[in-house]
């Protein structure tokens, strides 16, 4: 499933991947992701539905955020 998502992102020309996760930190670390402040994700992707929802409902501060360079 991740490879299919990465293929779409590569076609769009994206270089980085950001995501929110309720848990599963070990999985994302194993996939090469680094934990980042949720505010960094929100700053980089302010118009995404997930970020807008997090800001509107107040769950941003309590979330886990991750980023990785897009695997080649």
């Amino acid at each position: 499933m991740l490879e299919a998502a990465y293929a779409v992102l590569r076609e769009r020309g994206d270089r980085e991947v950001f995501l929110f996760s309720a848990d599963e930190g070990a999985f994302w670390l194993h996939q090469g992701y680094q934990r980042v402040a949720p505010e960094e994700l929100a700053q980089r992707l302010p118009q995404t539905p997930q970020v807008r929802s997090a800001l509107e409902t107040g769950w941003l501060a309590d979330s886990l955020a991750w980023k990785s360079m897009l695997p080649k």
Side-chain angles (χ1 to χ4, degrees):
M1 188 162 76
L2 280 176
E3 277 306 315
Y6 292 154
V8 170
L9 296 173
R10 281 187 209 98
E11 287 179 19
R12 288 189 343 184
D14 293 331
R15 293 184 159 172
E16 292 178 299
V17 180
F18 287 87
L19 60 92
F20 286 120
S21 173
D23 54 24
E24 298 301 331
F27 174 79
W28 295 114
L29 287 170
H30 180 73
Q31 297 297 319
Y33 285 75
Q34 298 175 343
R35 189 165 174 190
V36 296
E39 294 81 12
E40 179 182 346
L41 191 157
Q43 181 181 11
R44 298 283 301 274
L45 302 168
Q47 298 303 318
T48 61
Q50 295 86 350
V51 169
R52 289 180 23 214
S53 174
L55 292 171
E56 290 169 6
T57 60
W59 60 262
L60 181 71
D62 296 327
S63 65
L64 299 176
W66 303 89
K67 86 172 182 180
S68 176
M69 295 304 293
L70 186 60
K72 295 187 185 222

